[in-house]
Structures are given as structure tokens and as C-alpha cells.
Amino acid sequence: MLKFYRTHPKQVLHIGDSASDVLGANREGIVTCWINRNNRVWEHEVKPDYVVESLNEIEELLMTRKN
């Protein structure tokens, strides 16, 4: 999809609620956000770029990234 839309991976924010979501996007160089609704502990070496507890936090995150 990145090639099809001629988009650089760092221009994409992938939001996922599982380790496989975050790790897969990270492997492609995509900026990652883990939605951690249940206050779990991240147990993987590769860390998400952002962590939120609810989708309500995404707007602020996007506004912060733009600037």
C-alpha cells in the first residue's frame, strides 16, 4: 500500500491493540501507536512510538505530530 500510494512509512500512523499489530508495522518502518485499554505491560524489545489508553487520545497525538 505504501508503494501504491507513494507514501513514506514515517507519514503513516498505525494504531493497533496487539503486539503483532505494532511489531508488523514497525518492521515496515511505519510509526506505531499501541492502544492499551487494559493497562497491560509491553513485553517486547521493540517498543511502540506512542501508547494511548483510548481512541479519544488520538486527536491530540495527531495534532502534536503535525507541529
Side-chain angles (χ1 to χ4, degrees):
M1 294 303 289
L2 295 170
K3 287 180 185 177
F4 181 81
Y5 287 106
R6 297 181 183 146
T7 301
H8 190 277
K10 293 299 179 193
Q11 293 177 301
V12 176
L13 175 64
H14 180 87
I15 302 165
D17 63 356
S18 71
S20 62
D21 289 340
V22 172
L23 297 172
N26 180 275
R27 271 194 300 275
E28 295 300 318
I30 296 171
V31 179
T32 58
C33 177
W34 179 40
I35 184 163
N36 182 7
R37 293 183 176 108
N38 299 316
N39 199 28
R40 294 177 292 171
V41 175
W42 185 261
E43 300 177 350
H44 305 278
E45 185 176 326
V46 174
K47 307 282 188 223
D49 297 296
Y50 302 96
V51 178
V52 297
E53 294 178 2
S54 120
L55 289 175
N56 294 329
E57 297 175 61
I58 300 301
E59 181 179 9
E60 182 178 338
L61 188 143
L62 291 173
M63 295 305 291
T64 303
R65 282 193 71 217
K66 280 180 135 179
N67 299 328

